[in-house]
Structure formats: structure tokens, C-alpha cells
Amino acid sequence: VPVTSAAVVDYLGNSANGHRCGDFPWGRSDLESPGLYSWWVDDMGAAAMTRGLGQSVAPGLVYAGLAGATSAGRTSVSSTLRSRIAGNHLRGGIHGSTWRKSLTAVLLDQLDLDVTPGDLAPSSQADLTDWMRSHLRLAVLPIADSSAVGAAEDALLERLDPPLNLDGMGETSVRASLRGLRRELPRKRSGR
């Protein structure tokens, strides 16, 4: 896929390009590169998000992000699609993934997640990952030029406006609720 704003939006905004995240990396060998990704939730997952947020979340695209973007002053790529998604989003702690932190905030009570100071307890990390594997799909788009990734993400977020992206996004009732739930996380401890 050429790296034009329209091509990025068309590809990552199409649910047909999403695959079960539980099967990531799907045998692909092109994910050791920078790029973009979009997360899609199924009907049951959207219903759980709606309950957790107290705001309606429709099935479909809910979050998008990047891996390995560089700027003019930085020439080395610190993460790849594979390392970011597998290491941070599917297996990392909430301190290394804003996506996992948001999901934790939204699903905290429904999954009875145990927040210890600074992160989830190991069993709750596993529960969150299991939920993700059951209810989320993922689309990825490698982009060879790491200096183009940031601008491509900006275009993607502006055009598709995923409801659970926060940074630099316009305020909505869903985002306001999510921000509030995320702020409460540090105060919730084991044995609530």
C-alpha cells in the first residue's frame, strides 16, 4: 500500500483488513518495521465497553496507533509493529501501553481486574489479554519510511476519529468518560 493519507485511511479504516489479534502476527514476516495499526471491537466487546464507560460504543473501529515513528533528529527506530503490538499491547503492562491502560480502565469492574500500585496483577494481565483475544481484531500497515509514520497517523486519526484515542483528539462524551476512568486507576488497589 503506498503511503498516502487516502491509502492509509482506506486500508486501516476497512474492517475487512482486520484479523483476530489472538493469532498475531499471523505468520507475517513484514512486521519488523514501523507502521500503523487499527483495533476493531466485536458486538459483545462493544457492549462491555459501553457498560464500562457509561457511554455508547459501537462495534467497529475503536483505536489506532503507530510503531517506530522517527523525526528529523532521530534516525533509529525504537519499536516495530511486531514489538509494539506483541510486547506492549498484547502482553505488556498498563504503564507501557496507553491502549492496555484504557482497556483496563473501561473493563476494570467487569473483568474484576486487580490493579496493584502502578500496574495490573499478573493474573489480571492474563485476563485482559484473554478478553482482547476474544473480542478484538487488528489491522496493521507496515510503512518502510519511519519518518512518514507520524504524519500518516495524524491523517488516520483525523479522518477516522477512533473513539478511544485520546491524545490530540476532540472531546466527546466517550473520551471524557475514558479520561475520568483512567484518572481513577492509580487510586484503585488490590483488595478493593
Side-chain angles (χ1 to χ4, degrees), residues 8 13 61 89 97 115 125 141:
V8 167
L61 177 69
H89 293 326
S97 167
V115 179
Q125 292 283 14
L141 180 63

Side-chain angles (χ1 to χ4, degrees), residues 18 26 34 37 48 53 65 70 75 80 95 129 138-139 142 145 151 154 168 179 187:
W26 316 295
Y37 48 84
L53 286 162
T70 59
T75 56
T80 65
H95 60 279
T129 298
L138 174 66
D145 180 3
D154 291 344
R179 279 189 176 89
R187 291 189 287 276

Side-chain angles (χ1 to χ4, degrees), residues 16 22 34 38 57 71 75-76 82 85 87 114 125 133 135 147 158 191:
S38 57
V57 175
S71 60
T75 56
S76 65
R82 185 182 183 111
I85 293 165
D114 186 9
Q125 292 283 14
R133 290 175 182 214
H135 300 289
S147 66
E158 181 182 331

